[in-house]
Amino acid sequence: MSVDTIHCLCNIISPCRNELATTFILVQWLVTAISTILNTVRPVLSFFGIRAQVELNEEDYNDTWMYMPDGDGQPQVAYLIEPPPEDNRNEVPQIIQFEYYGSSNPSEPVVSNVWLNEEGITRHKRDTWEEMAEKFNPALDTKILVHGWKSSTQSNSIQSIRGGYIKRGHVNVFAINWRDQADNIYYLRPARYTVQVGRAVAKLIDLLVEEKNADPKRIHLIGHSLGSHIMGYAGSYTKYRVSRITGLDPARPAFEDCIGPENHLDHTDAEFVDVIHSCAGYLGFKNPIGHADFYPNGGSPPQPGCSEIGQIFTGCSHGRSYEYYAESINSDKGFYALPCTSLFDIKGNNCTGDKILMGDPIPHTAQGIYYLKTSDKPSFALGMI
């Protein structure tokens, strides 16, 4: 199955926010029927010593498998096909965790377990929710963070950003832990869970507004990779329009070629959506999808597959997006970016105009495509050069 085929099937393999049309329901039925036949045939083939498996052949790279970094930036093999029927990870626990870090005791979060269903949440333990709600301060800004594939709230993608905000102080920080669903080498399975986790985050927002008088205009959602799309779903499903969503290299496989913005993070999901594309066109989205989209050039040898993407520009790595963002929270120099009229201007080095800051301090009036250079190691920010 080619990547293009995977992308074209995204309305089937990855749940979407819109209701499935009759055509998609029919296709879903056909896919299920074919899968049932394969489930019957495979044991017979296995009996004769013919075993279906994913071979890591170089010619199949970016087709049936690819390397993706986990939440600590370590490369892992991800299979871009459906798991075999004998895969023993069919039953994934339908539990995620809300972790609240307050400024008064930032090292020990208050944790609330949430049980998921297709609508995103069934129930949560009232006692832990009440403890969390008691510590929440509606007078402060609220940051809600979510990780991506093969990650957790203990991964660098979350801890680096959480640490930056706790260092600044005077802020509510939530981290959404969906590690049990995200930890699967068959990438399409975690991709399916993004909509359910997004609904759960939307429910958290609704509870904060309705039970704790939180101001949705002070709520900011931040997600890395698959987490970017989780936050897109959250912004779409919540009853209250949040002020900002930041997408950190939104995951591309199974999402970018989905028809309609309702299938992935986009500019309609919040009052302001900013995106950092650090591995654009490969692991992350190539095309702009926010109000303001930033394309950094890290200057270092790029992660495999992230260089000269689409013959447009040189990127760096999937994980650099959250590293840049985390540094931007308390940076003295700042990440200053130039406006561009198109992605092709980046390749031609034709971006000119007034620079703006990328990352946490971005002005919410920013619109369009931006390009910037960074250092190849911390601190990454080069300031106003």
Side-chain angles (χ1 to χ4, degrees):
M1 179 182 292
S2 70
V3 173
D4 289 339
T5 305
I6 291 174
H7 289 163
C8 290
L9 290 176
C10 61
N11 283 289
I12 298 171
I13 64 173
S14 180
C16 304
R17 282 172 275 183
N18 56 331
E19 295 297 326
L20 289 174
T22 304
T23 302
F24 286 129
I25 293 174
L26 176 60
V27 175
Q28 179 79 71
W29 180 85
L30 291 173
V31 171
T32 302
I34 294 170
S35 177
T36 302
I37 294 171
L38 290 175
N39 289 345
T40 304
V41 172
R42 279 184 202 232
V44 177
L45 296 176
S46 181
F47 179 80
F48 289 98
I50 303 172
R51 180 173 177 81
Q53 61 182 347
V54 179
E55 295 184 0
L56 305 183
N57 296 321
E58 184 177 353
E59 61 269 22
D60 295 327
Y61 192 76
N62 203 28
D63 185 359
T64 62
W65 71 281
M66 69 192 310
Y67 284 114
M68 291 185 184
D70 59 22
D72 293 323
Q74 299 302 310
Q76 306 283 346
V77 172
Y79 296 148
L80 303 178
I81 62 173
E82 293 291 347
E86 64 268 22
D87 181 68
N88 60 5
R89 285 163 291 192
N90 288 324
E91 297 300 325
V92 177
Q94 299 297 300
I95 298 175
I96 66 170
Q97 294 178 323
F98 294 159
E99 300 178 2
Y100 174 74
Y101 297 84
S103 298
S104 59
N105 191 16
S107 61
E108 297 182 9
V110 178
V111 179
S112 180
N113 290 333
V114 175
W115 280 260
L116 294 176
N117 61 9
E118 290 184 0
E119 284 69 45
I121 188 171
T122 54
R123 65 189 186 279
H124 50 76
K125 288 186 177 180
R126 194 69 197 177
D127 55 344
T128 55
W129 164 251
E130 288 176 352
E131 182 184 0
M132 182 179 290
E134 181 181 349
K135 294 182 179 297
F136 175 79
N137 186 347
L140 302 178
D141 290 339
T142 297
K143 309 291 181 179
I144 304 179
L145 318 178
V146 68
H147 60 82
W149 179 75
K150 289 189 77 67
S151 305
S152 73
T153 51
Q154 296 306 304
S155 299
N156 291 339
S157 58
I158 295 295
Q159 290 298 314
S160 59
I161 297 173
R162 182 192 70 84
Y165 280 121
I166 295 301
K167 179 180 179 180
R168 176 190 292 181
H170 305 292
V171 65
N172 300 297
V173 178
F174 288 90
I176 310 301
N177 201 345
W178 63 295
R179 62 176 178 234
D180 291 337
Q181 296 79 20
D183 186 17
N184 197 304
I185 60 175
Y186 289 94
Y187 168 83
L188 300 182
R189 189 167 279 168
R192 289 191 179 98
Y193 277 101
T194 55
V195 67
Q196 292 169 278
V197 181
R199 284 182 181 271
V201 177
K203 182 63 175 179
L204 170 63
I205 296 167
D206 294 345
L207 288 170
L208 292 175
V209 174
E210 294 169 358
E211 297 191 9
K212 290 298 297 180
N213 297 317
D215 183 355
K217 293 184 179 180
R218 301 190 71 173
I219 295 177
H220 178 192
L221 313 181
I222 305 167
H224 174 242
S225 191
L226 285 178
S228 299
H229 303 304
I230 287 174
M231 291 317 201
Y233 293 135
S236 177
Y237 280 125
T238 179
K239 301 174 190 176
Y240 309 96
R241 191 163 176 80
V242 298
S243 70
R244 180 182 174 189
I245 297 176
T246 297
L248 303 176
D249 214 30
R252 175 179 180 258
F255 286 94
E256 180 151 30
D257 289 344
C258 288
I259 299 173
E262 67 276 1
N263 299 316
H264 53 72
L265 173 67
D266 78 284
H267 70 278
T268 67
D269 295 325
E271 290 294 331
F272 180 72
V273 175
D274 60 305
V275 180
I276 298 177
H277 302 261
S278 62
C279 189
Y282 186 68
L283 298 178
F285 263 57
K286 180 178 79 172
N287 294 317
I289 53 175
H291 294 97
D293 291 77
F294 294 83
Y295 294 82
N297 181 335
S300 62
Q303 192 176 58
C306 293
S307 61
E308 293 298 331
I309 298 305
Q311 298 300 307
I312 293 177
F313 63 97
T314 301
C316 47
S317 78
H318 197 46
R320 280 288 169 86
S321 56
Y322 66 75
E323 293 182 289
Y324 293 153
Y325 188 88
E327 184 181 316
S328 76
I329 297 170
N330 298 300
S331 175
D332 293 330
K333 292 182 178 180
F335 293 86
Y336 285 90
L338 282 167
C340 311
T341 57
S342 72
L343 295 182
F344 294 100
D345 281 346
I346 297 176
K347 182 184 178 184
N349 197 24
N350 295 322
C351 301
T352 59
D354 295 332
K355 292 184 176 181
I356 68 164
L357 282 167
M358 179 188 78
D360 177 75
I362 183 178
H364 290 200
T365 55
Q367 294 281 335
I369 298 169
Y370 296 86
Y371 171 72
L372 70 155
K373 293 183 178 180
T374 72
S375 174
D376 60 357
K377 58 185 177 181
S379 65
F380 295 107
L382 298 177
M384 183 69 81
I385 58 172

